[in-house]
């Protein structure tokens, strides 16, 4: 199971169940926690709603824009309740640093690049052992 993004201000914007991202999650073989949400855009949810729905999800995908790689300590300092998610506790967070990769510029034109990264995250046994992801990295400790 997977969920994505993080809280910004009072809301956590998650991809709706019919969105490009939700479809890629399905295509990569993941069970998206918010698959039931109608629409193709993002949906604003309260942190408590996301926590309730995604607390036991296996994997958490986070995009951010920083000069350095984000760590678990950074995420905890940003918002302490993040550490309640199982993906945080089990160190199963994958990050995409938008300051270092061309995610938004490339992924609409090459969804295959993003799909391959997602397959690497969800089912690494399906890719060669020497595969190097283009956008996502396992979050540093």
């Amino acid at each position: 199971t997977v969920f994505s993004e993080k809280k910004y201000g009072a809301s956590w914007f998650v991809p709706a169940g019919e969105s490009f991202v939700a479809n890629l999650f399905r295509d990569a073989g993941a069970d998206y926690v918010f698959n039931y949400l109608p629409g193709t855009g993002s949906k604003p949810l309260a942190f408590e709603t996301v926590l309730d729905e995604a607390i036991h999800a296996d994997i958490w995908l986070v995009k951010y824009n920083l000069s350095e790689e984000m760590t678990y300590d950074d995420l905890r300092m940003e918002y302490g309740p993040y550490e309640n998610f199982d993906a945080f506790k089990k160190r199963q967070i994958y990050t995409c640093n938008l300051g270092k990769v061309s995610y938004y510029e490339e992924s609409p034109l090459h969804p295959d690049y993003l799909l391959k990264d997602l397959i690497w995250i969800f089912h690494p046994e399906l890719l060669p052992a020497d595969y190097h992801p283009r956008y996502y990295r396992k979050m540093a400790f």
Side-chain angles (χ1 to χ4, degrees):
T1 53
V2 65
F3 71 110
S4 64
E5 311 315 326
K6 59 188 178 114
K7 186 172 105 53
Y8 289 98
S11 297
W12 189 315
F13 291 87
V14 300
E18 299 165 67
S19 67
F20 171 77
V21 173
N23 281 308
L24 280 174
F25 291 162
R26 274 191 296 280
D27 290 348
D31 181 15
Y32 177 46
V33 173
F34 296 103
N35 201 41
Y36 66 88
L37 290 175
T40 58
S42 292
K43 300 288 184 180
L45 300 176
F47 173 80
E48 294 78 11
T49 302
V50 177
L51 181 63
D52 186 52
E53 296 285 332
I55 192 167
H56 298 300
D58 300 309
I59 295 171
W60 181 5
L61 303 177
V62 176
K63 290 191 290 295
Y64 65 94
N65 188 342
L66 295 172
S67 59
E68 300 296 321
E69 296 301 320
M70 181 178 271
T71 66
Y72 283 87
D73 285 339
D74 295 332
L75 198 57
R76 183 184 296 110
M77 287 189 310
E78 184 177 306
Y79 192 65
Y82 284 149
E83 64 188 354
N84 291 302
F85 290 101
D86 285 356
F88 187 101
K89 294 175 186 175
K90 295 177 181 179
R91 303 298 195 243
Q92 289 298 308
I93 300 176
Y94 291 81
T95 60
C96 175
N97 188 344
L98 301 171
K100 296 188 177 200
V101 297
S102 300
Y103 178 91
Y104 286 117
E105 295 81 6
E106 291 179 355
S107 61
L109 300 172
H110 290 284
D112 53 313
Y113 295 166
L114 179 54
L115 180 62
K116 202 172 220 183
D117 271 17
L118 295 174
I119 292 169
W120 171 77
I121 293 167
F122 306 141
H123 300 285
E125 71 280 1
L126 298 178
L127 294 173
D130 63 347
Y131 176 74
H132 295 287
R134 186 177 195 95
Y135 307 113
Y136 283 94
R137 304 281 182 263
K138 193 149 191 180
M139 182 180 267
F141 292 95

